[in-house]
Amino acid sequence: MSSDNQWSADEDEGQLSRLIRKSRDSPFVPVGIAGFVTVVSYGLYKLKYRRDQKMSIHLIHMRVAAQGFVVGAVTL
């Protein structure tokens, strides 16, 4: 019966409180998120000046860079 109460408590947990809890457990989670946002922002900025590069290639490079940053931060 007490396990039913535990499940309802987990479901009531909001996104912000979940993020705060995970950042306490692993302090590199916010670093990974910040790096992801930075890489995506920079990629969107550079999208304007991509010259003759195809859009799909630019987006693939941006995705690989963002994923690489997150995996590197989580690995640390």
Side-chain angles (χ1 to χ4, degrees):
M1 184 101 182
S2 64
S3 64
D4 292 335
N5 291 338
Q6 183 182 8
W7 284 106
S8 64
D10 288 342
E11 292 172 0
D12 292 338
E13 185 179 29
Q15 293 292 332
L16 183 60
S17 60
R18 184 177 298 156
L19 178 65
I20 291 170
R21 181 176 49 84
K22 286 189 182 273
S23 62
R24 282 188 200 133
D25 294 342
S26 177
F28 286 105
V29 169
V31 172
I33 292 171
F36 175 79
V37 170
T38 303
V39 168
V40 169
S41 299
Y42 180 72
L44 290 174
Y45 173 74
K46 292 292 285 186
L47 185 64
K48 191 175 187 180
Y49 304 107
R50 69 182 199 274
R51 297 187 195 131
D52 60 346
Q53 188 180 32
K54 290 184 177 180
M55 171 77 93
S56 61
I57 300 298
H58 178 75
L59 293 176
I60 289 170
H61 288 168
M62 197 169 69
R63 178 184 62 91
V64 168
Q67 284 179 336
F69 193 91
V70 171
V71 168
V74 171
T75 302
L76 287 177

